[in-house]
Amino acid sequence: MKALVVDDDLALADVVSFTLRKAGYEVIMAHDGLVALDRWRSETPDIIILDLNLPKLDGLGVCRQIRAQADTPIVVLSVRGEENDIVAMLQLGADDYIV
């Protein structure tokens, strides 16, 4: 199984990637929203771990574009814990939201 980890915080992305590898996932990383979309298209991951605060295209835009084309599971992992952020992402089609 493949996981796409999308986060501009390199240290956090490394920790999440390490954990997923230990669980048996092949991990692909992206550090901005545009690269995330490119990697999603080329690698067809089984799950996406997505941050909201990304350069070039934020997590909302990434989620919106993926949901327009596929139902790949998306788990948002973000420091933004405001109710409106959580509701917006779930309404866009994120499968879960972890603060």
Side-chain angles (χ1 to χ4, degrees), residues 1 10 20 26 29 45 48-49 63 67 82 87 95 97:
M1 299 230 344
L10 303 182
L20 288 168
E26 176 185 343
M29 290 199 296
I48 300 165
I49 310 300
C63 184
R67 274 295 164 262
E82 298 296 321
V87 170
D95 295 282
Y97 194 111

Side-chain angles (χ1 to χ4, degrees), residues 9-91:
D9 180 332
L10 303 182
L12 181 58
D14 284 342
V15 170
V16 172
S17 296
F18 175 79
T19 303
L20 288 168
R21 283 188 187 99
K22 296 280 283 180
Y25 284 88
E26 176 185 343
V27 177
I28 304 116
M29 290 199 296
H31 302 297
D32 71 60
L34 296 179
V35 171
L37 290 175
D38 287 342
R39 299 242 165 98
W40 170 74
R41 288 182 191 107
S42 65
E43 299 286 340
T44 60
D46 299 293
I47 189 167
I48 300 165
I49 310 300
L50 178 65
D51 184 26
L52 293 182
N53 300 322
L54 298 169
K56 299 185 182 175
L57 179 65
D58 67 8
L60 290 163
V62 172
C63 184
R64 184 179 294 115
Q65 289 192 37
I66 290 172
R67 274 295 164 262
Q69 301 174 47
D71 62 354
T72 307
I74 299 172
V75 176
V76 175
L77 178 61
S78 179
V79 297
R80 291 171 43 181
E82 298 296 321
E83 185 176 337
N84 59 342
D85 291 326
I86 296 168
V87 170
M89 285 306 295
L90 294 174
Q91 287 177 337

